[in-house]
Amino acid sequence: MKVLGIESSCDETGVAIYDSAAGMGKEGLLGHALYSQVTLHAEYGGVVPELASRDHVRKTIPLIRELLADSKVAADSLQGVAYTAGPGLAGALLVGASIGRALAWGWGIPAVAIHHMEGHLLAPLIDNPDIEFPFVALLVSGGHTQLVYVRGVGEYKLLGESLDDAAGEAFDKTAKLMGLGYPGGPSVAVLAEQGRKGVYRFPRPMVDRPGLDFSFSGLKTFTVNTFQSSAKDAQAKADIAFAFEEAVVDTLAIKCKRALQQVACKSLVVAGGVSANKRLRLRLHELVTGLDCVVHFPRPEFCTDNGAMIAYAGCLRLQAGETQDISFRVNPRWPLSALTAPTKTHS
Ligand code: KG4
Ligand code: ZN
């Protein structure tokens, strides 16, 4: 089944075509394209929702045209459309959802609404469809930090989550307060490469309590206070970025270990924007080696928001017969645990 995926929940317009029948030397992913609004929002130090919606309106259709041409896929060969229906910014979601739903109607093919975090969670399977269920998923993005026990597609049990800032949000806010670029994750990570180990040691929040929840807001404040009372030279800044990143990574690793042991599972999947972080990838590889477990990440470009993960998740659900009728809606606050396994929709 050949599916067009559309992602527009925040500040990236992502489109892709996934074909479950590809194989035979051809990759499942026939093509993908991304338009990032980063420069548009950079001067505000964060995403401006109205600007995001308007830019999705301008970019989505031309990007789909470009994708079809580049991947040499005829529109009339598509068999389904998947779009992100939440969680995310209401206006931004509505753009992708209405375009996706309208295209499917015009082409006379089914459409399906996809949960953005399910897209992230399944992203490592795009290149590695043999990853077996069950696994523990660490979802680390700008809006979410969650540990989820995944029994199958749509079968998600929340084990723990952030009680305040998400990991990506902590990176973004810390970067902003330290005068670094937006988005904060990559800029802190680049600066941290020049930092020295052992100069500062920051707290690992909530690791001395039982449970699998997180809290990164205090660490952000601790980092900013340290920054304000430090020398403002480049080396001090890099040392602070290093200590902050090390504390986030360490905290995530400690909780991953705890989660794997709690549910007696040997497989960890890590996804979402922060899973692009090199130090996190390295640390989790070390962790699973010691535990005799395995860890899977998406390829770096599919860690952050993209259309491929929506096309892939959509393909799985459409193949099972799940569809969205014409009266589509978006759900800006949509808990992952509300999802169910794909089921045939009866109209
Ligand atoms: O998944 P994503 O693209 O969007 C959401 O669904 O939120 O995640 C974006 C987040 C941002 O907070 C960004 O700063 C963070 O992922 N991020 C990183 C890195 N690359 C992106 N954080 C740490 N290190 C990185 N290399
Ligand atoms: Zn995301």
Side-chain angles (χ1 to χ4, degrees):
M1 180 178 245
K2 207 181 282 179
V3 176
L4 169 69
I6 304 174
E7 156 60 32
S8 73
S9 66
C10 191
D11 59 348
E12 324 271 357
T13 315
V15 295
I17 300 165
Y18 186 85
D19 186 359
S20 58
M24 294 190 295
K26 271 175 99 185
E27 284 186 46
L29 193 64
L30 301 185
H32 66 100
L34 187 81
Y35 177 79
S36 173
Q37 302 178 353
V38 160
T39 48
L40 175 73
H41 302 289
E43 66 172 294
Y44 305 99
V47 179
V48 183
E50 184 57 24
L51 293 182
S53 313
R54 288 172 191 224
D55 218 33
H56 287 305
V57 170
R58 280 190 290 267
K59 299 295 176 354
T60 309
I61 298 273
L63 207 59
I64 292 172
R65 282 214 175 93
E66 200 181 299
L67 171 72
L68 289 170
D70 290 352
S71 51
K72 301 189 175 48
V73 171
D76 64 8
S77 72
L78 290 168
Q79 292 155 300
V81 179
Y83 58 85
T84 306
L89 302 170
L93 288 166
L94 275 169
V95 178
S98 51
I99 290 175
R101 193 63 200 83
L103 284 175
W105 186 77
W107 287 331
I109 55 177
V112 70
I114 294 300
H115 190 292
H116 180 80
M117 298 312 291
E118 176 172 80
H120 275 305
L121 194 155
L122 297 174
L125 281 82
I126 297 173
D127 290 322
N128 190 357
D130 297 331
I131 295 174
E132 282 179 22
F133 299 103
F135 53 76
V136 169
L138 171 69
L139 301 179
V140 269
S141 69
H144 295 81
T145 301
Q146 296 182 324
L147 276 163
V148 184
Y149 184 52
V150 181
R151 286 197 193 85
V153 175
E155 296 178 63
Y156 308 130
K157 183 169 187 277
L158 186 66
L159 301 173
E161 66 183 333
S162 179
L163 304 177
D164 42 55
D165 292 351
E169 191 178 359
F171 268 100
D172 293 338
K173 288 182 177 169
T174 303
K176 193 172 180 179
L177 293 163
M178 286 177 69
L180 305 176
Y182 163 84
S187 56
V188 170
V190 167
L191 187 61
E193 280 176 24
Q194 311 304 319
R196 297 165 298 176
K197 193 174 174 62
V199 179
Y200 294 99
R201 188 179 159 83
F202 289 179
R204 276 66 171 149
M206 293 184 68
V207 295
D208 49 4
R209 294 187 222 172
L212 294 168
D213 287 333
F214 303 89
S215 164
F216 290 110
S217 157
L219 175 62
K220 171 197 65 193
T221 309
F222 189 95
T223 308
V224 173
N225 288 343
T226 307
F227 173 65
Q228 275 162 357
S229 56
S230 75
K232 297 289 180 296
D233 59 77
Q235 187 60 57
K237 231 173 166 176
D239 291 339
I240 291 169
F242 180 97
F244 168 77
E245 186 183 59
E246 190 188 38
V248 174
V249 165
D250 229 23
T251 306
L252 294 172
I254 290 167
K255 295 289 165 91
C256 283
K257 179 178 179 184
R258 209 178 272 178
L260 288 166
Q261 289 172 338
Q262 182 175 309
V263 297
C265 185
K266 290 282 183 194
S267 175
L268 177 67
V269 158
V270 190
V274 184
S275 68
N277 186 279
K278 285 191 200 137
R279 194 179 306 277
L280 178 66
R281 292 170 90 105
L282 208 66
R283 179 78 169 79
L284 292 178
H285 272 297
E286 285 166 11
L287 174 80
V288 296
T289 308
L291 293 174
D292 197 22
C293 296
V294 286
V295 63
H296 304 280
F297 297 91
R299 67 169 101 155
E301 63 191 314
F302 296 156
C303 290
T304 44
D305 292 350
N306 64 85
M309 65 185 195
I310 303 304
Y312 181 74
C315 187
L316 296 182
R317 287 192 174 270
L318 284 163
Q319 277 182 306
E322 185 171 317
T323 57
Q324 171 64 53
D325 66 25
I326 198 73
S327 61
F328 73 94
R329 56 194 291 270
V330 297
N331 197 344
R333 293 177 180 276
W334 187 5
L336 188 67
S337 52
L339 295 189
T340 54
T343 40
K344 193 164 169 49
T345 311
H346 298 284
S347 49

